[in-house]
Amino acid sequence: MKASTAKLLIYGTDGQKALDSGTAVLIDPYTAITARHVLSRLTEGGRVELSFPHMPSAGSVVVRDVYRCPDELYDIAILKLDEALADGRVYPALYAVKPEGRPSYISHGFPSERSPSCTFEGKIMDIYEQFTQNDLELSVAGREGMNFSGASGSPLYMDGGVYGIIIVRDTGNTLGALSFAECRAFLAEQGIVHHSLKPLRDYERIIVERQLPMAKVGFDEGESLPYMDTYATWENVTSLDNPNRYTLGKPELLSEMVERYFAAEENGENMLFVVADFGKGKSTFLRHMAAKMAGAYRDSREIPLPVYFNLREYTKYEKFGPVLNLNKEGVIKDFLKETTGIDFANRQHPIFSQSILFLIDSLDECGSLSASDVMQVVRSVKAIVDYCRGAKIIVTTRPIPNVLGQVIKEMNDPVNQAWRFASIYGFQPDQFADYMQALHPKLPVESVHAYNRKLLDTIRSGQSIYETFNGLLNEEELKRPILAYMLYKLLEEDYELEKDSKLGIYLSFINLLTKDAKHVDDSGRKDDWLKRLGYRNLLYVTAVMWMKNLHLNGGGFLRLDDLEEALGEDASLVQFMSHSYFKNAGGIYHFNHQSFAEIIIAEYYVRLLLWSALENKTANELSPFLAIGNPTEQTVSFVKSLLNMLCDATIGDDRLDGNSLLKIRRALSPMMSSLGAAEYNRPPDDDKAGNAQRDGYLYSSYIRRVWNAEQWGGFSEISDRMLEQWPIKPEHIEKMIENAAALVNGEDDYVFFQPQRMNHSFNRDVYRIEGRKKTFDPDTERWIAMLCGTTLAERFLGESAFPPC
C-alpha cells in the first residue's frame, strides 16, 4: 500500500513552486486515482507530478492526462502517467462495493503537517445514502487534532483491496471517503478494472476452495465421469417402510425440489431429508450441489453460502455433551472452528448474520444407528442454527429402520405435520443410456467375449441401450448409478459379463480391482494370483476395522494408527486401495463408497463360516470374529446371495451347465482361495507375525494344501483345472450349518469393553468397565449365525426350518 501511494504536486505555468498538494494511489503501471478537488488549482499549461518515496526506483513521474469525473457529486479523478512504472509489482485490487457494518480501514497519505508521509487507520462510522462530497464518514485512531490537509486521494484500504479514496472535509479535520461503489459508471467509462463483489473472507475462501473440487464425479484419481441430474419424489414418513417407496409419485429434479422446499415460509427451520438406499447417488448429488453453489457464491454472492460436511467424520469433530449440558456446541460448529478458524465467541462475526445452506451427508454412516444415538447426532447438527439464525439444512441418508421416521418428526414442524422427505429415484432409462453413451469413447472397440461385444455395439450405435442392458440387470438395479459405474469399469477392462444379478456385477468389480490394484510407486505394475490374494486379505482387514470403528467410536473412517496397529510397517500398502476402494485425505482413510465395504464384509462373514468348517473350528473359536458390529441391510442381502452361490458352486444346480458352473466358481474363487494365502492372513504358528496377526486373522491350511497354493506365485489367473477340482465338498456345507447352529445355541456373549482392576473384595477381584459400548447387541454373532444357517438349510437341505428353531 505504501509503495503504491504517491505525493501529488500541482505546478503552475512557471513550473517553479508547487501550488497545492495531495495524494494519489497507483492502480496499474500507468494509472493513478485521486480526489478531483485536489486538482482545483491546476490550470492550462500547468502540470501534475507524482513522487513515490516508498518506491525508490520510481522517482518523480509527470502526469500526461487528467480525467475529472464530470458529475459534481463524485469527487474523483483519473491520472494517466507520462511513462509506465513497469516494475513487476502487484497493484491493489479495486472493489466497487459498499462496506457493511463498521469495518476497520487503513490508509497512507501525505498530510501537509507530516513529512514525508503518514499511515492512519480507524473505522467506518457512518454510510450516507444522500451526500454532496463523500458517502462514508471515518474515525481516525490516535490522530486527534491532526490536520489531514493533503491526504485527500489516499486509498481506503480494507480486506486486501482499495474500496475508495479519502476525502478531507473542508470543515474541520474529520475524514470522509468516497466509495468506488458510488462511481462505478465513471470507473467503467475510463476502463478502470474493478470488482463489483467484495473479496471472500478467509473462512468463505476456505469453504469455497474445499468444495469446488467436489464437482468431479469419479473414484479413480484423474477419472472424470458425467454428472447426471438427480430426480426424486416427495414421500411421507409413513412410506419409509414401504419396499416400493421409490416407485411412488412422479420424479422431479431434486435441485428444484430443494429450492421450492426452502422457499416455502411454513418450512421455517425444518431440515430437509434426502433419502435413498445404496448406490442411488445421494452423496454425488450433495457434493455436486456443494461445488456448484460454491462457484456461484464466489461469482455472485447472491445465494446462501454452502457448507458441506460428511457425518462419516462425526466423531472427529463432535464435542456434543449430554442433552442437559448447557455448553453443548454441535459438530458443525466444531468442524468450522477447526477447518476455518471462525471465532464463534465474537458475536460480531459475519457468519452470525449470513445466509447459509448446510449440506450434511451420510447420516447412516455416523456410527451407531440406534434411535437415541442418531437423534443425538441430528440434534448436534441442528445446534448450528443457534449461531447461524435462518440457516437451512439438508441431510442425506439411507433409510434407517424404525429410526428415521422418528428423527424427521422431531426435527420438523409438528404443527403442520410436514413430515415428508425427498426420495431419490435414481437413473431414469434415458439417463442410463446417456451415461453409458457419454463414456463410450473410453471403452474398447472390440471384446473377446460375445455378450460384451453385444453391449459395446449397442452403446456405440446409441440405439436401445437401456433395453439391451435390461437383459443384464433388472429395472430397479439399472436405476443405481453405482452399478452403471461398475458396468462401465468392467467393460473398460473387458471383464466378462453375463446375465446375472447385481451381486455378480459387484463380485466381478471387486475381483477386477483386486487384480488391477494400483501401487503408489508403480502404477503400471501387474501382480500374480498369490499377490492379489494378499491384497484381498488386506481388504478384509481394513473392512473389519472400519466396521468396528463405525460401531465402537462412531467414525466411518480409519486413521493410519489403526492400520499400523494391525499391519505394522505394511500399513502404507493400504494406499494401493486408493485406486477405487479407499480414499486417503490427511491421514484419514475411508471407503469411496459404502457398498464396497458392505460386500467385503459380506464376504468376510461367509469365508469366516467356511473357514470354521474347513479347519474344524468350534463355535467358541468362531464367535469372537463375528463381534464386529451390526451389518447393514445391504450386507445381509449380499450374505444370502453369496451363500446361495457357494451352494451352487459346490452341489451344482440342474439349471447350470458346465460353463456356467465354472463362472460361478471363478467369481467366488478370490474370496475362498484368499483363506490359503498367508499374506495379511498369517498362520497361527508364524513367528514372523505380530500378536495381532497371530490372534486376529483367518488361515486355512486345507485350502493351501488342496489347491497347491505353493504354485500360485506363478499364476496370472486361477486355472479352469483348479476350478474343476473344487475343494469345497457337501460335508463342508453341512459343517457350516452345524457351526451356525452351535453359535445360535452358545452360552457365551461377546462385547467390547476395557476392564480396570479396582480392588480385591474378599475372594473376588472387582473390575471397573471403561468405555463399555452399547452400540450393537451382544447377540450379533447369534443373529449372523441364524441368517447363515437358515439360508444354507433352505438351499442345501431343502428345509424351511433351521435346526435351532
Side-chain angles (χ1 to χ4, degrees):
M1 181 185 66
K2 293 173 72 174
S4 299
T5 310
K7 183 171 184 177
L8 184 153
L9 295 173
I10 308 293
Y11 291 91
T13 54
D14 60 3
Q16 298 300 312
K17 184 178 180 181
L19 304 177
D20 210 343
S21 68
T23 304
V25 56
L26 194 67
I27 62 172
D28 63 41
Y30 49 84
T31 308
I33 296 180
T34 190
R36 186 188 57 215
H37 76 265
V38 171
L39 304 170
S40 60
R41 300 186 66 180
L42 178 64
T43 60
E44 186 176 353
R47 76 178 192 277
V48 179
E49 284 188 5
L50 301 180
S51 63
F52 297 86
H54 298 284
M55 191 191 304
S57 61
S60 293
V61 181
V62 175
V63 173
R64 184 187 71 230
D65 295 306
V66 174
Y67 301 92
R68 299 174 175 88
C69 182
D71 191 326
E72 292 295 327
L73 186 64
Y74 305 117
D75 193 355
I76 185 172
I78 304 297
L79 310 175
K80 290 294 183 179
L81 308 187
D82 195 37
E83 58 185 67
L85 296 178
D87 63 347
R89 72 177 57 254
V90 177
Y91 294 91
L94 306 188
Y95 290 95
V97 180
K98 278 278 193 182
E100 297 176 356
R102 300 177 64 183
S104 299
Y105 76 90
I106 188 169
S107 189
H108 180 258
F110 297 86
S112 56
E113 72 172 51
R114 289 294 299 267
S115 178
S117 62
C118 174
T119 298
F120 50 97
E121 59 188 312
K123 289 183 178 293
I124 294 178
M125 302 302 296
D126 208 348
I127 301 175
Y128 303 125
E129 294 299 328
Q130 303 293 328
F131 60 93
T132 57
Q133 189 179 30
N134 55 274
D135 62 318
L136 305 178
E137 182 179 355
L138 313 179
S139 69
V140 184
R143 302 287 187 182
E144 292 79 3
M146 178 177 167
N147 184 353
F148 279 93
S149 177
S152 288
S154 301
L156 181 69
Y157 196 86
M158 301 185 299
D159 295 329
V162 179
Y163 282 70
I165 52 173
I166 302 296
I167 306 293
V168 177
R169 296 191 179 192
D170 295 333
T171 56
N173 70 334
T174 57
L175 296 185
L178 175 65
S179 71
F180 292 146
E182 291 291 345
C183 39
R184 290 175 185 159
F186 175 67
L187 294 175
E189 289 171 5
Q190 299 300 318
I192 305 300
V193 176
H194 60 280
H195 301 278
S196 58
L197 296 172
K198 61 184 177 182
L200 291 173
R201 303 178 180 98
D202 285 345
Y203 73 91
E204 293 174 313
R205 177 184 52 77
I206 292 170
I207 290 170
V208 166
E209 290 178 354
R210 283 172 65 99
Q211 292 173 187
L212 286 175
M214 294 181 185
K216 174 184 173 293
V217 181
F219 297 115
D220 284 355
E221 186 176 348
E223 184 177 56
S224 182
L225 304 173
Y227 175 76
M228 310 302 292
D229 287 331
T230 304
Y231 285 82
T233 58
W234 288 118
E235 311 294 349
N236 192 276
V237 290
T238 55
S239 69
L240 275 170
D241 297 324
N242 182 351
N244 298 316
R245 59 182 172 268
Y246 298 110
T247 62
L248 303 176
K250 181 180 179 180
E252 306 174 65
L253 277 172
L254 181 52
S255 57
E256 295 180 359
M257 293 168 65
V258 169
E259 187 174 343
R260 292 197 305 271
Y261 182 86
F262 286 121
E265 183 177 349
E266 65 269 18
N267 283 323
E269 294 183 353
N270 285 357
M271 299 171 72
L272 173 59
F273 287 83
V274 177
V275 183
D277 60 0
F278 89 100
K280 285 287 187 69
K282 299 180 298 296
S283 292
T284 298
F285 164 75
L286 206 64
R287 290 171 62 84
H288 189 270
M289 183 177 185
K292 184 177 180 180
M293 288 187 66
Y297 184 84
R298 176 198 59 194
D299 297 339
S300 73
R301 312 299 149 73
E302 294 178 356
I303 66 169
L305 173 67
V307 177
Y308 174 91
F309 178 70
N310 196 309
L311 284 171
R312 182 193 298 121
E313 299 187 67
Y314 174 74
T315 58
K316 179 180 177 182
Y317 297 103
E318 170 59 9
K319 302 178 180 65
F320 200 68
V323 175
L324 297 179
N325 183 354
L326 298 180
N327 296 319
K328 58 183 182 293
E329 295 187 332
V331 64
I332 306 303
K333 180 183 172 186
D334 291 335
F335 162 70
L336 289 173
K337 284 172 63 177
E338 181 169 321
T339 56
T340 69
I342 292 174
D343 178 13
F344 282 90
N346 174 16
R347 300 303 297 184
Q348 301 302 314
H349 196 284
I351 197 170
F352 287 100
S353 57
Q354 196 163 3
S355 177
I356 302 178
L357 177 61
F358 291 99
L359 308 170
I360 311 301
D361 206 359
S362 306
L363 176 62
D364 56 295
E365 297 183 45
C366 67
S368 167
L369 298 183
S370 69
S372 59
D373 288 336
V374 173
M375 199 69 75
Q376 179 83 335
V377 170
V378 180
R379 287 173 185 150
S380 175
V381 168
K382 200 166 186 178
I384 192 65
V385 177
D386 291 339
Y387 300 92
C388 306
R389 291 293 180 183
K392 309 298 183 184
I393 302 175
I394 300 176
V395 179
T396 69
T397 180
R398 293 190 190 186
I400 306 175
N402 304 315
V403 173
L404 187 57
Q406 300 177 46
V407 171
I408 294 175
K409 288 180 178 180
E410 177 165 320
M411 291 298 113
N412 291 335
D413 183 7
V415 177
N416 297 320
Q417 296 187 0
W419 298 327
R420 60 177 183 166
F421 60 92
S423 174
I424 291 183
Y425 182 86
F427 277 172
Q428 298 190 77
D430 59 337
Q431 287 186 299
F432 177 87
D434 290 344
Y435 180 86
M436 298 307 294
Q437 191 162 22
L439 293 170
H440 101 263
K442 302 179 182 181
L443 297 176
V445 176
E446 194 49 80
S447 170
V448 298
H449 308 293
Y451 193 71
N452 289 38
R453 283 199 302 273
K454 178 182 178 181
L455 297 175
L456 290 170
D457 289 344
T458 304
I459 293 173
R460 192 175 300 111
S461 70
Q463 302 297 317
S464 304
I465 295 176
Y466 180 82
E467 289 76 9
T468 301
F469 276 86
N470 205 7
L472 176 65
L473 296 175
N474 64 35
E475 180 181 346
E476 183 59 34
E477 291 162 354
L478 289 175
K479 291 179 182 178
R480 303 181 190 276
I482 188 64
L483 286 173
Y485 170 75
M486 290 181 179
L487 288 173
Y488 153 66
K489 295 299 290 185
L490 293 170
L491 285 171
E492 183 185 43
E493 297 296 327
D494 199 24
Y495 207 93
E496 185 175 11
L497 295 171
E498 60 179 324
K499 296 181 180 180
D500 204 344
S501 68
K502 66 177 180 289
L503 177 65
I505 301 298
Y506 263 92
L507 279 178
S508 297
F509 179 72
I510 298 295
N511 292 343
L512 171 67
L513 293 183
T514 306
K515 173 184 175 183
D516 291 337
K518 296 294 189 292
H519 295 252
V520 174
D521 301 321
D522 186 6
S523 60
R525 175 177 168 182
K526 296 292 183 180
D527 289 308
D528 58 36
W529 175 249
L530 184 60
K531 195 71 175 177
R532 295 202 300 268
L533 293 178
Y535 295 156
R536 193 58 156 246
N537 286 329
L538 191 56
L539 278 177
Y540 297 129
V541 173
T542 51
V544 168
M545 287 193 297
W546 166 82
M547 189 165 178
K548 283 183 178 179
N549 268 17
L550 187 65
H551 289 275
L552 293 177
N553 307 315
F557 58 87
L558 295 171
R559 300 181 187 274
L560 188 58
D561 290 347
D562 299 321
L563 303 176
E564 287 177 343
E565 182 179 346
L567 304 173
E569 296 178 356
D570 290 338
S572 61
L573 282 178
V574 171
Q575 294 181 53
F576 92 88
M577 288 186 292
S578 65
H579 169 60
S580 272
Y581 294 118
F582 249 36
K583 186 71 70 180
N584 173 21
I588 301 297
Y589 296 81
H590 60 83
F591 281 92
N592 270 317
H593 199 281
Q594 183 169 313
S595 60
F596 298 168
E598 287 168 322
I599 191 168
I600 296 166
I601 290 294
E603 286 191 4
Y604 170 80
Y605 284 136
V606 173
R607 72 196 290 272
L608 179 60
L609 201 60
L610 183 60
W611 168 77
S612 72
L614 298 175
E615 298 302 308
N616 200 29
K617 300 295 182 180
T618 65
N620 283 340
E621 292 176 284
L622 185 58
S623 290
F625 289 99
L626 289 170
I628 62 173
N630 291 330
T632 66
E633 180 182 347
Q634 196 54 47
T635 293
V636 170
S637 175
F638 284 143
V639 167
K640 294 172 69 175
S641 297
L642 282 169
L643 289 171
N644 283 320
M645 285 182 70
L646 181 62
C647 288
D648 287 342
T650 301
I651 61 177
D653 190 302
D654 293 340
R655 298 166 296 175
L656 298 175
D657 57 26
N659 187 49
S660 298
L661 181 61
L662 285 182
K663 286 181 179 178
I664 292 176
R665 289 179 174 180
R666 188 175 299 280
L668 293 174
S669 60
M671 175 191 76
M672 191 185 68
S673 55
S674 62
L675 289 167
E679 192 167 20
Y680 308 113
N681 197 36
R682 307 289 188 185
D685 57 352
D686 189 340
D687 292 334
K688 296 180 181 179
N691 290 333
Q693 290 182 332
R694 282 198 297 270
D695 299 335
Y697 289 69
L698 310 176
Y699 175 77
S700 172
S701 58
Y702 171 84
I703 290 290
R704 192 172 185 88
R705 182 180 70 255
V706 171
W707 258 3
N708 198 9
E710 302 301 330
Q711 299 181 13
W712 290 352
F715 293 172
S716 59
E717 295 284 351
I718 192 168
S719 66
D720 288 349
R721 182 182 59 82
M722 289 178 63
L723 296 176
E724 290 166 355
Q725 298 172 351
W726 190 244
I728 310 304
K729 308 300 179 187
E731 54 266 29
H732 295 132
I733 304 294
E734 291 178 355
K735 181 65 175 175
M736 292 171 71
I737 297 174
E738 291 176 10
N739 285 349
L743 279 168
V744 173
N745 292 323
E747 296 182 356
D748 294 333
D749 290 331
Y750 296 85
V751 294
F752 286 97
F753 63 84
Q754 291 180 320
Q756 180 183 9
R757 187 178 183 277
M758 301 302 294
N759 55 41
H760 188 80
S761 177
F762 300 105
N763 64 333
R764 298 289 182 188
D765 286 335
V766 176
Y767 289 87
R768 177 187 177 201
I769 295 176
E770 294 183 340
R772 183 175 181 180
K773 303 298 179 183
K774 298 181 179 179
T775 53
F776 59 95
D777 298 328
D779 283 336
T780 300
E781 70 276 10
R782 291 188 179 88
W783 193 89
I784 293 293
M786 179 70 75
L787 169 72
C788 294
T790 302
T791 303
L792 288 174
E794 289 178 351
R795 175 66 182 85
F796 184 73
L797 302 176
E799 298 177 0
S800 58
F802 182 47
C805 297

PDB file of all heavy atoms in Angstrom, residues 5-17:
ATOM      1  N   THR A   5       1.396   4.404  -3.080  1.00  0.00           N
ATOM      2  CA  THR A   5       0.838   5.721  -2.768  1.00  0.00           C
ATOM      3  C   THR A   5       1.833   6.818  -3.145  1.00  0.00           C
ATOM      4  O   THR A   5       3.016   6.733  -2.822  1.00  0.00           O
ATOM      5  CB  THR A   5       0.495   5.829  -1.268  1.00  0.00           C
ATOM      6  OG1 THR A   5      -0.267   4.689  -0.888  1.00  0.00           O
ATOM      7  CG2 THR A   5      -0.318   7.079  -0.997  1.00  0.00           C
ATOM      8  N   ALA A   6       1.340   7.840  -3.831  1.00  0.00           N
ATOM      9  CA  ALA A   6       2.212   8.922  -4.330  1.00  0.00           C
ATOM     10  C   ALA A   6       1.806  10.265  -3.739  1.00  0.00           C
ATOM     11  O   ALA A   6       0.629  10.524  -3.484  1.00  0.00           O
ATOM     12  CB  ALA A   6       2.137   8.984  -5.853  1.00  0.00           C
ATOM     13  N   LYS A   7       2.804  11.136  -3.576  1.00  0.00           N
ATOM     14  CA  LYS A   7       2.523  12.528  -3.228  1.00  0.00           C
ATOM     15  C   LYS A   7       2.269  13.269  -4.523  1.00  0.00           C
ATOM     16  O   LYS A   7       3.069  13.202  -5.469  1.00  0.00           O
ATOM     17  CB  LYS A   7       3.687  13.153  -2.477  1.00  0.00           C
ATOM     18  CG  LYS A   7       3.387  14.584  -2.033  1.00  0.00           C
ATOM     19  CD  LYS A   7       4.461  15.118  -1.092  1.00  0.00           C
ATOM     20  CE  LYS A   7       4.069  16.510  -0.590  1.00  0.00           C
ATOM     21  NZ  LYS A   7       5.034  17.047   0.379  1.00  0.00           N
ATOM     22  N   LEU A   8       1.161  13.962  -4.581  1.00  0.00           N
ATOM     23  CA  LEU A   8       0.747  14.670  -5.793  1.00  0.00           C
ATOM     24  C   LEU A   8       1.051  16.162  -5.615  1.00  0.00           C
ATOM     25  O   LEU A   8       0.658  16.772  -4.609  1.00  0.00           O
ATOM     26  CB  LEU A   8      -0.745  14.442  -6.035  1.00  0.00           C
ATOM     27  CG  LEU A   8      -1.377  15.008  -7.302  1.00  0.00           C
ATOM     28  CD1 LEU A   8      -2.582  14.158  -7.699  1.00  0.00           C
ATOM     29  CD2 LEU A   8      -1.830  16.458  -7.091  1.00  0.00           C
ATOM     30  N   LEU A   9       1.739  16.752  -6.596  1.00  0.00           N
ATOM     31  CA  LEU A   9       2.084  18.177  -6.553  1.00  0.00           C
ATOM     32  C   LEU A   9       1.534  18.855  -7.800  1.00  0.00           C
ATOM     33  O   LEU A   9       1.678  18.339  -8.927  1.00  0.00           O
ATOM     34  CB  LEU A   9       3.596  18.362  -6.490  1.00  0.00           C
ATOM     35  CG  LEU A   9       4.287  17.827  -5.215  1.00  0.00           C
ATOM     36  CD1 LEU A   9       5.783  17.920  -5.349  1.00  0.00           C
ATOM     37  CD2 LEU A   9       3.814  18.597  -3.981  1.00  0.00           C
ATOM     38  N   ILE A  10       0.915  20.061  -7.594  1.00  0.00           N
ATOM     39  CA  ILE A  10       0.351  20.865  -8.676  1.00  0.00           C
ATOM     40  C   ILE A  10       1.288  22.043  -8.939  1.00  0.00           C
ATOM     41  O   ILE A  10       1.637  22.799  -8.010  1.00  0.00           O
ATOM     42  CB  ILE A  10      -1.041  21.407  -8.319  1.00  0.00           C
ATOM     43  CG1 ILE A  10      -1.963  20.282  -7.857  1.00  0.00           C
ATOM     44  CG2 ILE A  10      -1.637  22.175  -9.509  1.00  0.00           C
ATOM     45  CD1 ILE A  10      -2.315  19.305  -8.932  1.00  0.00           C
ATOM     46  N   TYR A  11       1.713  22.215 -10.185  1.00  0.00           N
ATOM     47  CA  TYR A  11       2.580  23.327 -10.561  1.00  0.00           C
ATOM     48  C   TYR A  11       1.854  24.229 -11.550  1.00  0.00           C
ATOM     49  O   TYR A  11       1.052  23.772 -12.380  1.00  0.00           O
ATOM     50  CB  TYR A  11       3.869  22.818 -11.214  1.00  0.00           C
ATOM     51  CG  TYR A  11       4.788  22.105 -10.250  1.00  0.00           C
ATOM     52  CD1 TYR A  11       4.693  20.727 -10.061  1.00  0.00           C
ATOM     53  CD2 TYR A  11       5.749  22.822  -9.532  1.00  0.00           C
ATOM     54  CE1 TYR A  11       5.528  20.072  -9.179  1.00  0.00           C
ATOM     55  CE2 TYR A  11       6.597  22.171  -8.638  1.00  0.00           C
ATOM     56  CZ  TYR A  11       6.480  20.792  -8.459  1.00  0.00           C
ATOM     57  OH  TYR A  11       7.311  20.160  -7.582  1.00  0.00           O
ATOM     58  N   GLY A  12       2.166  25.527 -11.438  1.00  0.00           N
ATOM     59  CA  GLY A  12       1.596  26.493 -12.363  1.00  0.00           C
ATOM     60  C   GLY A  12       2.387  26.534 -13.658  1.00  0.00           C
ATOM     61  O   GLY A  12       3.277  25.712 -13.916  1.00  0.00           O
ATOM     62  N   THR A  13       2.109  27.540 -14.468  1.00  0.00           N
ATOM     63  CA  THR A  13       2.753  27.628 -15.773  1.00  0.00           C
ATOM     64  C   THR A  13       4.244  27.945 -15.663  1.00  0.00           C
ATOM     65  O   THR A  13       5.024  27.577 -16.542  1.00  0.00           O
ATOM     66  CB  THR A  13       2.078  28.719 -16.610  1.00  0.00           C
ATOM     67  OG1 THR A  13       2.074  29.958 -15.865  1.00  0.00           O
ATOM     68  CG2 THR A  13       0.651  28.319 -16.950  1.00  0.00           C
ATOM     69  N   ASP A  14       4.655  28.591 -14.543  1.00  0.00           N
ATOM     70  CA  ASP A  14       6.083  28.879 -14.403  1.00  0.00           C
ATOM     71  C   ASP A  14       6.857  27.647 -13.967  1.00  0.00           C
ATOM     72  O   ASP A  14       8.071  27.580 -14.105  1.00  0.00           O
ATOM     73  CB  ASP A  14       6.308  30.029 -13.420  1.00  0.00           C
ATOM     74  CG  ASP A  14       5.775  29.709 -12.020  1.00  0.00           C
ATOM     75  OD1 ASP A  14       5.285  28.567 -11.795  1.00  0.00           O
ATOM     76  OD2 ASP A  14       5.844  30.590 -11.152  1.00  0.00           O
ATOM     77  N   GLY A  15       6.133  26.687 -13.410  1.00  0.00           N
ATOM     78  CA  GLY A  15       6.755  25.423 -13.053  1.00  0.00           C
ATOM     79  C   GLY A  15       7.753  25.495 -11.934  1.00  0.00           C
ATOM     80  O   GLY A  15       8.519  24.549 -11.697  1.00  0.00           O
ATOM     81  N   GLN A  16       7.772  26.612 -11.154  1.00  0.00           N
ATOM     82  CA  GLN A  16       8.786  26.789 -10.136  1.00  0.00           C
ATOM     83  C   GLN A  16       8.349  26.295  -8.752  1.00  0.00           C
ATOM     84  O   GLN A  16       9.071  25.584  -8.090  1.00  0.00           O
ATOM     85  CB  GLN A  16       9.170  28.274 -10.032  1.00  0.00           C
ATOM     86  CG  GLN A  16       9.764  28.827 -11.313  1.00  0.00           C
ATOM     87  CD  GLN A  16      11.031  28.077 -11.704  1.00  0.00           C
ATOM     88  OE1 GLN A  16      11.925  27.866 -10.876  1.00  0.00           O
ATOM     89  NE2 GLN A  16      11.106  27.655 -12.969  1.00  0.00           N
ATOM     90  N   LYS A  17       7.151  26.681  -8.341  1.00  0.00           N
ATOM     91  CA  LYS A  17       6.705  26.386  -6.980  1.00  0.00           C
ATOM     92  C   LYS A  17       5.386  25.648  -7.018  1.00  0.00           C
ATOM     93  O   LYS A  17       4.479  26.009  -7.768  1.00  0.00           O
ATOM     94  CB  LYS A  17       6.559  27.685  -6.184  1.00  0.00           C
ATOM     95  CG  LYS A  17       6.186  27.466  -4.728  1.00  0.00           C
ATOM     96  CD  LYS A  17       6.109  28.798  -3.998  1.00  0.00           C
ATOM     97  CE  LYS A  17       5.727  28.578  -2.531  1.00  0.00           C
ATOM     98  NZ  LYS A  17       5.631  29.867  -1.798  1.00  0.00           N
TER      99      LYS A  17
END
